[in-house]
Amino acid sequence: MESIKRTKVKDLLQSTAYGTEVTVKGWVRTFRNNQFIAINDGSTINNIQAVVDFNVADETLLKRLTTGAAVSVTGELIESLGKGQKVEVKVKHLEILGDSDETFPMQPKKHSLEFLREKAHLRFRTNTFNAVFKVRHALAYAIHKFFNDKGFVYLHTPIITASDAEGAGEMFRVTALDFNNPPRTETGEVDFKQDFFGKTTNLTVSGQLEAELAAMAFGEVYTFGPTFRAENSNTTRHLAEFWMIEPEVAFNDLTDNMNLAEELLKYVIKHAMDNCADEIEFLKNRLLEEEKTKPMDERSELDLTAKLNFCLENNFERLTYTEAIEILKNSNPNKKKKFKYIINEWGADLQSEHERYLVEKHFKKPVILTDYPKEIKAFYMRQNDDGKTVRAIDILFPGIGEIIGGSQREERLEYLEKRMAEMHIPADELYWYLDTRRFGTAPHAGFGLGFERLVLFVTGMTNIRDVIPFPRAPKTAEF
Ligand code: ATP
Ligand code: MN
């Protein structure tokens, strides 16, 4: 059988080459009136209509035109008389490439996102997930383009790591030992010296420490890879496996860091809006439908496109943690004890409800909080002269909460060593990290952007499990 060159549906829908013969290959979405096949090939969320004439197809063939079947149709491209489409294909030749039957779960009716999550291996074939993963792709591309155009080096940091400095207790152990019969030390503990790497190893929670090493040579680097957290948080914002973007820049201070983060977010959101207009329009309408099921006061004031534009057009609000605490202390939900965690004093860790109050109710725009108490932040953040706070930044987004966490790093060896000792972080194991401070240390800064939280924001989806193809979460590792 000779393979005919196909034209993608996306191109056909924009074509006006009426009268030419074309071939479309794709999957049947619907087949109506024994005549109209809606075919989708994934190149766009829109379908092309193919019209079959009884003369060219016998009845047994037509019976096989069920939702989900893979088909190849060849015929003339003609102007469409139907509403909502400019062109259609008048079928001359029809071939079923792969049958599907009524047990195919993606039948043309409304499915709940929960149902689709259980069928994640087939949900790509719905409009919603076509749109979500197109946007995800566009965002990934834009991130690489943004950094590439600025001269950053894309650094691949390890997935298996021996350092557990950052994620004590939240890491997945990587081992090749026999669980039923592990080697033991004289004192009875599992002897990881005999394990594959000769020491305990875990899946990484962040590529930052390694990125810092490279930033001290290339000046500007970024990572973009999977990270893993064994935290048992069954929320709509957390995954056990998620992708993170971590730029690290030599000679940047806290303000440079905030500027870079804000520029990156605006750039990639704009790229998605420019390149995924159909998808975002579709997702906007999907969200409007979803919002209709919510009580009035929980619906957002802006639709998806308005929300994205709003984010592009406004400067993010920048304030210190200390200023934010004052706002929260005096806020209505705090005084009326509506918050689950009441803010009583300086030093409290901010919960998602507080972050969202600041963004959605108080400022009504993205917020960058800086200079957090050192007790609630990581050891590597640069200490301020007040002895109480560190040069941290968190960027908070509407509907999401924290989307970015970062800091100017502590580049002074003696401060870093002292802080590590206070926090019981073994300096000897991190000798390689401290070497950057021993040999030509320099001010530098960076941050981590959670990729799925960004995709959540741009797609207007509400559960993080719906923006990664195969979600990994507590008790969830199907497919
Ligand atoms: P949170 O307080 O929301 O749990 P975090 O403070 O633990 O986040 P960081 O360690 O600062 O997060 O990680 C940097 C970024 O990675 C976060 O700003 C967020 O966008 C993303 N992120 C963190 N944990 C997760 C997770 N479990 N699933 C998806 N994204 C995450
Ligand atoms: Mn954080």
mmCIF file with all atom_site columns, all heavy atoms in Angstrom, residues 384-407:
data_model
loop_
_atom_site.group_PDB
_atom_site.id
_atom_site.type_symbol
_atom_site.label_atom_id
_atom_site.label_alt_id
_atom_site.label_comp_id
_atom_site.label_asym_id
_atom_site.label_entity_id
_atom_site.label_seq_id
_atom_site.pdbx_PDB_ins_code
_atom_site.Cartn_x
_atom_site.Cartn_y
_atom_site.Cartn_z
_atom_site.occupancy
_atom_site.B_iso_or_equiv
_atom_site.pdbx_formal_charge
_atom_site.auth_seq_id
_atom_site.auth_comp_id
_atom_site.auth_asym_id
_atom_site.auth_atom_id
_atom_site.pdbx_PDB_model_num
ATOM 1   N N   . ASN A 1 384 ? 20.269 39.469 55.841 1.00 0.00 ? 384 ASN A N   1
ATOM 2   C CA  . ASN A 1 384 ? 20.226 40.936 55.884 1.00 0.00 ? 384 ASN A CA  1
ATOM 3   C C   . ASN A 1 384 ? 20.921 41.440 57.148 1.00 0.00 ? 384 ASN A C   1
ATOM 4   O O   . ASN A 1 384 ? 21.134 40.672 58.099 1.00 0.00 ? 384 ASN A O   1
ATOM 5   C CB  . ASN A 1 384 ? 18.771 41.423 55.856 1.00 0.00 ? 384 ASN A CB  1
ATOM 6   C CG  . ASN A 1 384 ? 18.184 41.353 54.462 1.00 0.00 ? 384 ASN A CG  1
ATOM 7   O OD1 . ASN A 1 384 ? 18.842 41.707 53.483 1.00 0.00 ? 384 ASN A OD1 1
ATOM 8   N ND2 . ASN A 1 384 ? 16.950 40.861 54.365 1.00 0.00 ? 384 ASN A ND2 1
ATOM 9   N N   . ASP A 1 385 ? 21.232 42.727 57.162 1.00 0.00 ? 385 ASP A N   1
ATOM 10  C CA  . ASP A 1 385 ? 21.969 43.297 58.281 1.00 0.00 ? 385 ASP A CA  1
ATOM 11  C C   . ASP A 1 385 ? 21.160 43.314 59.580 1.00 0.00 ? 385 ASP A C   1
ATOM 12  O O   . ASP A 1 385 ? 21.728 43.441 60.663 1.00 0.00 ? 385 ASP A O   1
ATOM 13  C CB  . ASP A 1 385 ? 22.437 44.722 57.940 1.00 0.00 ? 385 ASP A CB  1
ATOM 14  C CG  . ASP A 1 385 ? 23.476 44.709 56.813 1.00 0.00 ? 385 ASP A CG  1
ATOM 15  O OD1 . ASP A 1 385 ? 24.098 43.630 56.613 1.00 0.00 ? 385 ASP A OD1 1
ATOM 16  O OD2 . ASP A 1 385 ? 23.656 45.742 56.142 1.00 0.00 ? 385 ASP A OD2 1
ATOM 17  N N   . ASP A 1 386 ? 19.827 43.185 59.469 1.00 0.00 ? 386 ASP A N   1
ATOM 18  C CA  . ASP A 1 386 ? 19.013 43.196 60.696 1.00 0.00 ? 386 ASP A CA  1
ATOM 19  C C   . ASP A 1 386 ? 19.186 41.928 61.523 1.00 0.00 ? 386 ASP A C   1
ATOM 20  O O   . ASP A 1 386 ? 18.693 41.837 62.648 1.00 0.00 ? 386 ASP A O   1
ATOM 21  C CB  . ASP A 1 386 ? 17.524 43.412 60.348 1.00 0.00 ? 386 ASP A CB  1
ATOM 22  C CG  . ASP A 1 386 ? 16.961 42.292 59.483 1.00 0.00 ? 386 ASP A CG  1
ATOM 23  O OD1 . ASP A 1 386 ? 17.638 41.256 59.309 1.00 0.00 ? 386 ASP A OD1 1
ATOM 24  O OD2 . ASP A 1 386 ? 15.837 42.440 58.973 1.00 0.00 ? 386 ASP A OD2 1
ATOM 25  N N   . GLY A 1 387 ? 19.881 40.925 60.958 1.00 0.00 ? 387 GLY A N   1
ATOM 26  C CA  . GLY A 1 387 ? 20.100 39.682 61.687 1.00 0.00 ? 387 GLY A CA  1
ATOM 27  C C   . GLY A 1 387 ? 18.856 38.805 61.799 1.00 0.00 ? 387 GLY A C   1
ATOM 28  O O   . GLY A 1 387 ? 18.895 37.724 62.367 1.00 0.00 ? 387 GLY A O   1
ATOM 29  N N   . LYS A 1 388 ? 17.740 39.278 61.263 1.00 0.00 ? 388 LYS A N   1
ATOM 30  C CA  . LYS A 1 388 ? 16.482 38.533 61.403 1.00 0.00 ? 388 LYS A CA  1
ATOM 31  C C   . LYS A 1 388 ? 15.946 37.986 60.083 1.00 0.00 ? 388 LYS A C   1
ATOM 32  O O   . LYS A 1 388 ? 15.273 36.967 60.042 1.00 0.00 ? 388 LYS A O   1
ATOM 33  C CB  . LYS A 1 388 ? 15.396 39.455 61.996 1.00 0.00 ? 388 LYS A CB  1
ATOM 34  C CG  . LYS A 1 388 ? 15.538 39.679 63.487 1.00 0.00 ? 388 LYS A CG  1
ATOM 35  C CD  . LYS A 1 388 ? 14.755 40.888 64.004 1.00 0.00 ? 388 LYS A CD  1
ATOM 36  C CE  . LYS A 1 388 ? 13.357 41.024 63.439 1.00 0.00 ? 388 LYS A CE  1
ATOM 37  N NZ  . LYS A 1 388 ? 12.715 42.296 63.912 1.00 0.00 ? 388 LYS A NZ  1
ATOM 38  N N   . THR A 1 389 ? 16.205 38.732 59.019 1.00 0.00 ? 389 THR A N   1
ATOM 39  C CA  . THR A 1 389 ? 15.588 38.359 57.746 1.00 0.00 ? 389 THR A CA  1
ATOM 40  C C   . THR A 1 389 ? 16.640 37.972 56.705 1.00 0.00 ? 389 THR A C   1
ATOM 41  O O   . THR A 1 389 ? 17.821 38.269 56.859 1.00 0.00 ? 389 THR A O   1
ATOM 42  C CB  . THR A 1 389 ? 14.755 39.534 57.179 1.00 0.00 ? 389 THR A CB  1
ATOM 43  O OG1 . THR A 1 389 ? 15.610 40.666 57.015 1.00 0.00 ? 389 THR A OG1 1
ATOM 44  C CG2 . THR A 1 389 ? 13.605 39.886 58.102 1.00 0.00 ? 389 THR A CG2 1
ATOM 45  N N   . VAL A 1 390 ? 16.157 37.288 55.663 1.00 0.00 ? 390 VAL A N   1
ATOM 46  C CA  . VAL A 1 390 ? 17.031 36.895 54.556 1.00 0.00 ? 390 VAL A CA  1
ATOM 47  C C   . VAL A 1 390 ? 16.443 37.400 53.246 1.00 0.00 ? 390 VAL A C   1
ATOM 48  O O   . VAL A 1 390 ? 15.244 37.694 53.154 1.00 0.00 ? 390 VAL A O   1
ATOM 49  C CB  . VAL A 1 390 ? 17.211 35.363 54.502 1.00 0.00 ? 390 VAL A CB  1
ATOM 50  C CG1 . VAL A 1 390 ? 18.076 34.880 55.654 1.00 0.00 ? 390 VAL A CG1 1
ATOM 51  C CG2 . VAL A 1 390 ? 15.873 34.644 54.463 1.00 0.00 ? 390 VAL A CG2 1
ATOM 52  N N   . ARG A 1 391 ? 17.322 37.470 52.233 1.00 0.00 ? 391 ARG A N   1
ATOM 53  C CA  . ARG A 1 391 ? 16.926 38.047 50.943 1.00 0.00 ? 391 ARG A CA  1
ATOM 54  C C   . ARG A 1 391 ? 16.148 37.061 50.088 1.00 0.00 ? 391 ARG A C   1
ATOM 55  O O   . ARG A 1 391 ? 16.579 36.666 49.003 1.00 0.00 ? 391 ARG A O   1
ATOM 56  C CB  . ARG A 1 391 ? 18.164 38.485 50.189 1.00 0.00 ? 391 ARG A CB  1
ATOM 57  C CG  . ARG A 1 391 ? 18.880 39.581 50.917 1.00 0.00 ? 391 ARG A CG  1
ATOM 58  C CD  . ARG A 1 391 ? 19.497 40.532 49.972 1.00 0.00 ? 391 ARG A CD  1
ATOM 59  N NE  . ARG A 1 391 ? 19.771 41.748 50.702 1.00 0.00 ? 391 ARG A NE  1
ATOM 60  C CZ  . ARG A 1 391 ? 20.651 42.644 50.348 1.00 0.00 ? 391 ARG A CZ  1
ATOM 61  N NH1 . ARG A 1 391 ? 21.322 42.485 49.230 1.00 0.00 ? 391 ARG A NH1 1
ATOM 62  N NH2 . ARG A 1 391 ? 20.834 43.716 51.058 1.00 0.00 ? 391 ARG A NH2 1
ATOM 63  N N   . ALA A 1 392 ? 15.002 36.653 50.586 1.00 0.00 ? 392 ALA A N   1
ATOM 64  C CA  . ALA A 1 392 ? 14.159 35.700 49.870 1.00 0.00 ? 392 ALA A CA  1
ATOM 65  C C   . ALA A 1 392 ? 13.149 36.440 49.005 1.00 0.00 ? 392 ALA A C   1
ATOM 66  O O   . ALA A 1 392 ? 12.800 37.584 49.307 1.00 0.00 ? 392 ALA A O   1
ATOM 67  C CB  . ALA A 1 392 ? 13.419 34.830 50.870 1.00 0.00 ? 392 ALA A CB  1
ATOM 68  N N   . ILE A 1 393 ? 12.711 35.814 47.944 1.00 0.00 ? 393 ILE A N   1
ATOM 69  C CA  . ILE A 1 393 ? 11.525 36.301 47.227 1.00 0.00 ? 393 ILE A CA  1
ATOM 70  C C   . ILE A 1 393 ? 10.547 35.142 47.026 1.00 0.00 ? 393 ILE A C   1
ATOM 71  O O   . ILE A 1 393 ? 10.939 34.007 46.773 1.00 0.00 ? 393 ILE A O   1
ATOM 72  C CB  . ILE A 1 393 ? 11.832 36.893 45.820 1.00 0.00 ? 393 ILE A CB  1
ATOM 73  C CG1 . ILE A 1 393 ? 12.555 35.881 44.936 1.00 0.00 ? 393 ILE A CG1 1
ATOM 74  C CG2 . ILE A 1 393 ? 12.600 38.177 45.921 1.00 0.00 ? 393 ILE A CG2 1
ATOM 75  C CD1 . ILE A 1 393 ? 12.547 36.270 43.458 1.00 0.00 ? 393 ILE A CD1 1
ATOM 76  N N   . ASP A 1 394 ? 9.282  35.462 47.157 1.00 0.00 ? 394 ASP A N   1
ATOM 77  C CA  . ASP A 1 394 ? 8.226  34.535 46.742 1.00 0.00 ? 394 ASP A CA  1
ATOM 78  C C   . ASP A 1 394 ? 7.323  35.333 45.820 1.00 0.00 ? 394 ASP A C   1
ATOM 79  O O   . ASP A 1 394 ? 6.962  36.460 46.150 1.00 0.00 ? 394 ASP A O   1
ATOM 80  C CB  . ASP A 1 394 ? 7.401  34.053 47.944 1.00 0.00 ? 394 ASP A CB  1
ATOM 81  C CG  . ASP A 1 394 ? 7.964  32.780 48.563 1.00 0.00 ? 394 ASP A CG  1
ATOM 82  O OD1 . ASP A 1 394 ? 9.097  32.390 48.195 1.00 0.00 ? 394 ASP A OD1 1
ATOM 83  O OD2 . ASP A 1 394 ? 7.282  32.182 49.413 1.00 0.00 ? 394 ASP A OD2 1
ATOM 84  N N   . ILE A 1 395 ? 6.985  34.769 44.686 1.00 0.00 ? 395 ILE A N   1
ATOM 85  C CA  . ILE A 1 395 ? 6.024  35.438 43.810 1.00 0.00 ? 395 ILE A CA  1
ATOM 86  C C   . ILE A 1 395 ? 4.687  34.722 43.922 1.00 0.00 ? 395 ILE A C   1
ATOM 87  O O   . ILE A 1 395 ? 4.604  33.493 43.812 1.00 0.00 ? 395 ILE A O   1
ATOM 88  C CB  . ILE A 1 395 ? 6.526  35.473 42.350 1.00 0.00 ? 395 ILE A CB  1
ATOM 89  C CG1 . ILE A 1 395 ? 7.872  36.217 42.303 1.00 0.00 ? 395 ILE A CG1 1
ATOM 90  C CG2 . ILE A 1 395 ? 5.482  36.161 41.447 1.00 0.00 ? 395 ILE A CG2 1
ATOM 91  C CD1 . ILE A 1 395 ? 8.359  36.580 40.929 1.00 0.00 ? 395 ILE A CD1 1
ATOM 92  N N   . LEU A 1 396 ? 3.664  35.515 44.190 1.00 0.00 ? 396 LEU A N   1
ATOM 93  C CA  . LEU A 1 396 ? 2.331  34.963 44.443 1.00 0.00 ? 396 LEU A CA  1
ATOM 94  C C   . LEU A 1 396 ? 1.395  35.358 43.309 1.00 0.00 ? 396 LEU A C   1
ATOM 95  O O   . LEU A 1 396 ? 1.352  36.519 42.913 1.00 0.00 ? 396 LEU A O   1
ATOM 96  C CB  . LEU A 1 396 ? 1.797  35.500 45.771 1.00 0.00 ? 396 LEU A CB  1
ATOM 97  C CG  . LEU A 1 396 ? 2.791  35.477 46.941 1.00 0.00 ? 396 LEU A CG  1
ATOM 98  C CD1 . LEU A 1 396 ? 2.178  36.128 48.172 1.00 0.00 ? 396 LEU A CD1 1
ATOM 99  C CD2 . LEU A 1 396 ? 3.236  34.055 47.241 1.00 0.00 ? 396 LEU A CD2 1
ATOM 100 N N   . PHE A 1 397 ? 0.652  34.374 42.811 1.00 0.00 ? 397 PHE A N   1
ATOM 101 C CA  . PHE A 1 397 ? -0.235 34.597 41.663 1.00 0.00 ? 397 PHE A CA  1
ATOM 102 C C   . PHE A 1 397 ? -1.688 34.325 42.031 1.00 0.00 ? 397 PHE A C   1
ATOM 103 O O   . PHE A 1 397 ? -1.957 33.445 42.864 1.00 0.00 ? 397 PHE A O   1
ATOM 104 C CB  . PHE A 1 397 ? 0.187  33.651 40.516 1.00 0.00 ? 397 PHE A CB  1
ATOM 105 C CG  . PHE A 1 397 ? 0.982  34.340 39.434 1.00 0.00 ? 397 PHE A CG  1
ATOM 106 C CD1 . PHE A 1 397 ? 1.934  35.293 39.742 1.00 0.00 ? 397 PHE A CD1 1
ATOM 107 C CD2 . PHE A 1 397 ? 0.757  34.035 38.089 1.00 0.00 ? 397 PHE A CD2 1
ATOM 108 C CE1 . PHE A 1 397 ? 2.654  35.929 38.755 1.00 0.00 ? 397 PHE A CE1 1
ATOM 109 C CE2 . PHE A 1 397 ? 1.475  34.659 37.085 1.00 0.00 ? 397 PHE A CE2 1
ATOM 110 C CZ  . PHE A 1 397 ? 2.425  35.616 37.412 1.00 0.00 ? 397 PHE A CZ  1
ATOM 111 N N   . PRO A 1 398 ? -2.600 35.027 41.370 1.00 0.00 ? 398 PRO A N   1
ATOM 112 C CA  . PRO A 1 398 ? -4.021 34.780 41.651 1.00 0.00 ? 398 PRO A CA  1
ATOM 113 C C   . PRO A 1 398 ? -4.414 33.336 41.338 1.00 0.00 ? 398 PRO A C   1
ATOM 114 O O   . PRO A 1 398 ? -4.016 32.790 40.316 1.00 0.00 ? 398 PRO A O   1
ATOM 115 C CB  . PRO A 1 398 ? -4.752 35.765 40.728 1.00 0.00 ? 398 PRO A CB  1
ATOM 116 C CG  . PRO A 1 398 ? -3.737 36.248 39.749 1.00 0.00 ? 398 PRO A CG  1
ATOM 117 C CD  . PRO A 1 398 ? -2.397 36.094 40.382 1.00 0.00 ? 398 PRO A CD  1
ATOM 118 N N   . GLY A 1 399 ? -5.158 32.757 42.236 1.00 0.00 ? 399 GLY A N   1
ATOM 119 C CA  . GLY A 1 399 ? -5.644 31.397 42.028 1.00 0.00 ? 399 GLY A CA  1
ATOM 120 C C   . GLY A 1 399 ? -4.609 30.330 42.276 1.00 0.00 ? 399 GLY A C   1
ATOM 121 O O   . GLY A 1 399 ? -4.932 29.141 42.350 1.00 0.00 ? 399 GLY A O   1
ATOM 122 N N   . ILE A 1 400 ? -3.342 30.722 42.406 1.00 0.00 ? 400 ILE A N   1
ATOM 123 C CA  . ILE A 1 400 ? -2.262 29.747 42.497 1.00 0.00 ? 400 ILE A CA  1
ATOM 124 C C   . ILE A 1 400 ? -1.577 29.811 43.856 1.00 0.00 ? 400 ILE A C   1
ATOM 125 O O   . ILE A 1 400 ? -1.264 28.791 44.462 1.00 0.00 ? 400 ILE A O   1
ATOM 126 C CB  . ILE A 1 400 ? -1.176 30.014 41.405 1.00 0.00 ? 400 ILE A CB  1
ATOM 127 C CG1 . ILE A 1 400 ? -1.809 30.096 40.013 1.00 0.00 ? 400 ILE A CG1 1
ATOM 128 C CG2 . ILE A 1 400 ? -0.067 28.984 41.466 1.00 0.00 ? 400 ILE A CG2 1
ATOM 129 C CD1 . ILE A 1 400 ? -2.256 28.792 39.443 1.00 0.00 ? 400 ILE A CD1 1
ATOM 130 N N   . GLY A 1 401 ? -1.364 31.031 44.344 1.00 0.00 ? 401 GLY A N   1
ATOM 131 C CA  . GLY A 1 401 ? -0.489 31.194 45.503 1.00 0.00 ? 401 GLY A CA  1
ATOM 132 C C   . GLY A 1 401 ? 0.941  31.275 45.001 1.00 0.00 ? 401 GLY A C   1
ATOM 133 O O   . GLY A 1 401 ? 1.201  31.894 43.969 1.00 0.00 ? 401 GLY A O   1
ATOM 134 N N   . GLU A 1 402 ? 1.848  30.579 45.692 1.00 0.00 ? 402 GLU A N   1
ATOM 135 C CA  . GLU A 1 402 ? 3.259  30.693 45.305 1.00 0.00 ? 402 GLU A CA  1
ATOM 136 C C   . GLU A 1 402 ? 3.551  30.030 43.959 1.00 0.00 ? 402 GLU A C   1
ATOM 137 O O   . GLU A 1 402 ? 3.294  28.856 43.767 1.00 0.00 ? 402 GLU A O   1
ATOM 138 C CB  . GLU A 1 402 ? 4.136  30.063 46.385 1.00 0.00 ? 402 GLU A CB  1
ATOM 139 C CG  . GLU A 1 402 ? 5.612  30.179 46.060 1.00 0.00 ? 402 GLU A CG  1
ATOM 140 C CD  . GLU A 1 402 ? 6.505  29.370 46.988 1.00 0.00 ? 402 GLU A CD  1
ATOM 141 O OE1 . GLU A 1 402 ? 6.173  29.211 48.168 1.00 0.00 ? 402 GLU A OE1 1
ATOM 142 O OE2 . GLU A 1 402 ? 7.544  28.898 46.507 1.00 0.00 ? 402 GLU A OE2 1
ATOM 143 N N   . ILE A 1 403 ? 4.090  30.812 43.045 1.00 0.00 ? 403 ILE A N   1
ATOM 144 C CA  . ILE A 1 403 ? 4.480  30.241 41.740 1.00 0.00 ? 403 ILE A CA  1
ATOM 145 C C   . ILE A 1 403 ? 5.999  30.203 41.624 1.00 0.00 ? 403 ILE A C   1
ATOM 146 O O   . ILE A 1 403 ? 6.558  29.343 40.946 1.00 0.00 ? 403 ILE A O   1
ATOM 147 C CB  . ILE A 1 403 ? 3.812  31.030 40.583 1.00 0.00 ? 403 ILE A CB  1
ATOM 148 C CG1 . ILE A 1 403 ? 3.918  30.283 39.252 1.00 0.00 ? 403 ILE A CG1 1
ATOM 149 C CG2 . ILE A 1 403 ? 4.386  32.440 40.442 1.00 0.00 ? 403 ILE A CG2 1
ATOM 150 C CD1 . ILE A 1 403 ? 2.977  30.813 38.177 1.00 0.00 ? 403 ILE A CD1 1
ATOM 151 N N   . ILE A 1 404 ? 6.672  31.132 42.307 1.00 0.00 ? 404 ILE A N   1
ATOM 152 C CA  . ILE A 1 404 ? 8.134  31.192 42.296 1.00 0.00 ? 404 ILE A CA  1
ATOM 153 C C   . ILE A 1 404 ? 8.631  31.378 43.716 1.00 0.00 ? 404 ILE A C   1
ATOM 154 O O   . ILE A 1 404 ? 8.047  32.133 44.504 1.00 0.00 ? 404 ILE A O   1
ATOM 155 C CB  . ILE A 1 404 ? 8.627  32.374 41.421 1.00 0.00 ? 404 ILE A CB  1
ATOM 156 C CG1 . ILE A 1 404 ? 8.584  31.999 39.932 1.00 0.00 ? 404 ILE A CG1 1
ATOM 157 C CG2 . ILE A 1 404 ? 10.041 32.822 41.820 1.00 0.00 ? 404 ILE A CG2 1
ATOM 158 C CD1 . ILE A 1 404 ? 9.104  33.080 39.000 1.00 0.00 ? 404 ILE A CD1 1
ATOM 159 N N   . GLY A 1 405 ? 9.725  30.678 44.042 1.00 0.00 ? 405 GLY A N   1
ATOM 160 C CA  . GLY A 1 405 ? 10.434 30.920 45.285 1.00 0.00 ? 405 GLY A CA  1
ATOM 161 C C   . GLY A 1 405 ? 11.907 31.090 44.957 1.00 0.00 ? 405 GLY A C   1
ATOM 162 O O   . GLY A 1 405 ? 12.448 30.317 44.170 1.00 0.00 ? 405 GLY A O   1
ATOM 163 N N   . GLY A 1 406 ? 12.552 32.092 45.526 1.00 0.00 ? 406 GLY A N   1
ATOM 164 C CA  . GLY A 1 406 ? 13.965 32.287 45.201 1.00 0.00 ? 406 GLY A CA  1
ATOM 165 C C   . GLY A 1 406 ? 14.656 33.165 46.203 1.00 0.00 ? 406 GLY A C   1
ATOM 166 O O   . GLY A 1 406 ? 14.090 33.498 47.253 1.00 0.00 ? 406 GLY A O   1
ATOM 167 N N   . SER A 1 407 ? 15.888 33.537 45.892 1.00 0.00 ? 407 SER A N   1
ATOM 168 C CA  . SER A 1 407 ? 16.644 34.400 46.810 1.00 0.00 ? 407 SER A CA  1
ATOM 169 C C   . SER A 1 407 ? 17.935 34.891 46.187 1.00 0.00 ? 407 SER A C   1
ATOM 170 O O   . SER A 1 407 ? 18.413 34.339 45.206 1.00 0.00 ? 407 SER A O   1
ATOM 171 C CB  . SER A 1 407 ? 17.011 33.640 48.094 1.00 0.00 ? 407 SER A CB  1
ATOM 172 O OG  . SER A 1 407 ? 17.868 32.556 47.814 1.00 0.00 ? 407 SER A OG  1
#
